[in-house]
């Protein structure tokens, strides 16, 4: 797909093509002059939003992200080509569009133009997406992007969401872009973009198809293996591990109470769940909840039944074949299953799910952390407050 492992030196930036997944090195002097973007794309060396032109007449936009901000979890889904990016109003005290570098105003303008037909799309500049590597100021090229996705409605691709910090409520944007199927962006076109003439024969075909027809041709990558490893299912960083331990320890000694939490987590992943009823602990028989998921919209929609099982396990205690078989055995025709666990599914059980094509969604420890972060619970304290508010054991009067 891309050029993972390819690296372009600081001295070569001014004449380099852009290869997806290639690293573009910064300088090594230890000052602002090390920033690669002034050489690579001739944009400023400040902030996550860089652009050429003016807000009223944008010529190029460069989005950068560490992909590691717990409170604002930018994310690239390489299987679908969807890039989720948060705006720059990340602290209370300002209005949504009143940010110093105009990042949210920029988002508002390019998404508004994208919704105005071909004439509007021609005003949307090329958008180059990069991720920080963590080494000096080196960056990895993630792809050429356009606003919106083929799967989402117009009203859902740029959404103002509320957050709370220091007991103050404020808004920021969550934007969804499509990374186009453009593995290589040639330097000749980049120079034309810099000159203010992007709509030329050198423009990438997938980008011009979006400009002319509004067609999204995303850069998708298929996993070589369908089952996830233990490492992929468990949180990696210290804070993420602390979050999942907060959940696990909160329900220690009362695993049946975790079933309500698991149901809430399933709703975070699948907001179109319309019904979800917990079964009684004495008769759950491997099925902790049953529910219905709505597919489609309005009168044309249908409801699909599912069964949910919750396993509040320590991180070193996996969900094995026995537990998974209990859930599988209770799935009827045209039903699917959801397993929510604070640990992981062991290799043999996961392989059997995938190889036998059982319709089961696995929400493992890393997934729980990701869902909580995306919904505003980005650290152990916030998670603890959520747990105490929603799932505290009822008090027993003497």
């Amino acid at each position: 797909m891309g050029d993972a492992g390819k690296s372009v030196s600081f001295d070569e930036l001014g004449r380099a093509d852009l290869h997806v997944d290639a690293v573009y090195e910064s300088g090594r002097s230890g000052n602002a002059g090390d920033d690669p973007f002034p050489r690579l794309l001739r944009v400023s060396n400040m902030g996550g939003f860089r652009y050429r032109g003016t807000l009223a007449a944008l010529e190029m936009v460069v989005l950068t992200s560490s992909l590691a901000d717990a409170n604002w979890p930018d994310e690239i889904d390489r299987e679908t080509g969807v890039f989720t990016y948060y705006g720059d109003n990340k602290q209370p005290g300002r209005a949504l569009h009143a940010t110093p570098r105009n990042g949210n105003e920029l988002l508002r303008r390019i998404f508004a133009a994208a919704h105005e037909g071909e004439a509007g799309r021609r005003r949307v500049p090329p958008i180059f997406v990069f991720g920080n590597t963590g080494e000096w100021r080196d960056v990895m090229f993630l792809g050429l992007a356009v606003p919106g996705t083929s799967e989402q409605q117009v009203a859902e691709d740029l959404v103002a969401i509320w957050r709370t910090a220091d007991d103050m409520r404020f808004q920021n944007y969550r934007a969804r872009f499509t990374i186009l199927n453009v593995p290589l962006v040639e330097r000749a076109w980049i120079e034309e973009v810099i000159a203010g003439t992007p709509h030329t024969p050198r423009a990438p075909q997938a980008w011009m198809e979006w400009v002319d027809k509004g067609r999204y041709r995303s850069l998708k990558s298929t996993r070589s293996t369908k089952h996830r490893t233990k490492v992929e299912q468990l949180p990696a960083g210290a804070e993420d591990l602390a979050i999942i331990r907060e959940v696990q320890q909160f329900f220690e000694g009362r695993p049946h109470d975790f079933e309500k939490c698991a149901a809430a987590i399933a709703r975070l992943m699948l907001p179109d769940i319309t019904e979800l009823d917990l079964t009684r602990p004495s008769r759950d028989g491997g099925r902790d909840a049953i529910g219905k998921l709505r597919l489609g919209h309005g009168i044309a929609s249908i409801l699909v039944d599912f069964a949910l099982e919750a396993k509040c396990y320590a991180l070193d205690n996996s969900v094995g074949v026995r537990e998974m078989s209990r859930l599988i055995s209770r799935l009827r025709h045209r039903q699917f299953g959801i397993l929510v666990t604070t640990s992981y599914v062991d290799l043999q059980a996961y392989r059997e799910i995938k190889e036998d094509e059982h319709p089961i969604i696995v929400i493992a420890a890393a997934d729980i952390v990701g869902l909580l972060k995306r919904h505003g619970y980005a650290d152990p304290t916030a998670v603890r407050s959520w747990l105490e508010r929603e799932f505290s054991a009822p008090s027993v009067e003497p």
Side-chain angles (χ1 to χ4, degrees), residues 228 269-270 293 327 336-340 350 353-354 358-363:
R228 291 186 290 171
M269 176 176 279
L270 300 168
L293 175 71
L327 176 59
F336 69 95
I338 302 174
L339 172 77
V340 181
Y350 219 134
I353 293 172
K354 295 302 181 181
H358 293 298
I360 292 178
I361 298 171
V362 174
I363 304 178

Side-chain angles (χ1 to χ4, degrees), residues 40-195:
L40 184 61
L41 295 170
R42 299 184 212 166
V43 293
S44 67
N45 61 358
M46 297 289 288
F49 289 89
R50 326 278 184 102
Y51 59 90
R52 290 183 60 83
T54 66
L55 286 176
L58 291 164
E59 298 170 359
M60 173 197 296
V61 170
V62 177
L63 301 179
T64 64
S65 174
S66 67
L67 301 176
D69 186 334
N71 293 295
W72 303 100
D74 298 340
E75 180 183 34
I76 182 167
D77 186 333
R78 286 182 165 84
E79 292 190 51
T80 64
V82 174
F83 176 59
T84 302
Y85 191 74
Y86 289 87
D88 60 350
N89 195 36
K90 297 183 177 181
Q91 297 293 333
R94 289 191 298 258
L96 178 61
H97 299 112
T99 56
R101 301 195 181 280
N102 299 311
N104 278 359
E105 177 62 18
L106 182 151
L107 289 175
R108 185 190 71 79
R109 289 177 183 242
I110 61 176
F111 276 84
H115 299 155
E116 294 174 3
E118 182 182 350
R121 292 193 298 271
R122 283 189 168 269
R123 300 199 308 273
V124 176
I127 302 167
F128 300 106
V129 179
F130 291 84
N132 300 330
T133 67
E135 296 291 330
W136 294 84
R137 297 191 182 201
D138 298 358
V139 293
M140 176 181 288
F141 180 54
L142 302 180
L144 176 64
V146 292
T149 72
S150 59
E151 288 78 20
Q152 287 190 300
Q153 299 178 19
V154 167
E156 298 173 341
D157 54 16
L158 182 68
V159 179
I161 59 174
W162 286 97
R163 288 287 171 86
T164 302
D166 301 326
D167 294 324
M168 297 176 63
R169 283 164 54 86
F170 64 104
Q171 284 184 299
N172 193 20
Y173 275 135
R174 182 186 64 216
R176 292 215 165 96
F177 296 87
T178 295
I179 302 293
L180 295 175
N181 187 10
V182 182
L184 168 67
V185 179
E186 295 181 349
R187 170 54 56 176
W189 184 59
I190 294 172
E191 294 298 331
E192 291 175 339
V193 172
I194 292 171

Side-chain angles (χ1 to χ4, degrees), residues 9 19 29 38 40 48 71 92 94 119 129 144 160-161 186 204 212 235 353 367 375 388 395 397:
S9 72
H19 299 260
S29 300
L40 184 61
N71 293 295
R94 289 191 298 258
V129 179
L144 176 64
I161 59 174
E186 295 181 349
D212 292 338
I353 293 172
D367 305 312
H375 288 80
E388 290 176 345
S395 58
E397 295 185 5

Side-chain angles (χ1 to χ4, degrees), residues 326-389:
R326 291 204 315 161
L327 176 59
I328 293 171
S329 68
R330 284 158 175 79
L331 295 181
R332 299 190 298 274
H333 181 54
R334 295 180 179 175
Q335 283 190 329
F336 69 95
I338 302 174
L339 172 77
V340 181
T341 178
T342 53
S343 62
Y344 66 99
V345 176
D346 74 21
L347 183 59
Q348 182 181 352
Y350 219 134
R351 276 180 173 165
E352 288 187 11
I353 293 172
K354 295 302 181 181
E355 290 174 0
D356 295 340
E357 298 184 343
H358 293 298
I360 292 178
I361 298 171
V362 174
I363 304 178
D367 305 312
I368 292 173
V369 172
L371 288 166
L372 291 174
K373 283 184 172 183
R374 284 193 289 276
H375 288 80
Y377 310 110
D379 57 62
T381 300
V383 170
R384 181 77 183 190
S385 297
W386 175 67
L387 292 169
E388 290 176 345
R389 182 175 68 251

Side-chain angles (χ1 to χ4, degrees), residues 283-352:
R283 61 180 180 87
D284 70 8
R287 187 172 62 178
D288 297 322
I290 54 176
K292 295 180 184 294
L293 175 71
R294 183 179 298 279
L295 299 179
H297 299 279
I299 197 170
S301 65
I302 61 171
L303 295 176
V304 179
D305 293 331
F306 67 88
L308 179 145
E309 184 162 356
K311 295 298 178 187
C312 189
Y313 286 175
L315 291 171
D316 58 354
N317 184 11
S318 66
V319 177
V321 172
R322 181 178 60 85
E323 296 101 318
M324 193 62 70
S325 296
R326 291 204 315 161
L327 176 59
I328 293 171
S329 68
R330 284 158 175 79
L331 295 181
R332 299 190 298 274
H333 181 54
R334 295 180 179 175
Q335 283 190 329
F336 69 95
I338 302 174
L339 172 77
V340 181
T341 178
T342 53
S343 62
Y344 66 99
V345 176
D346 74 21
L347 183 59
Q348 182 181 352
Y350 219 134
R351 276 180 173 165
E352 288 187 11

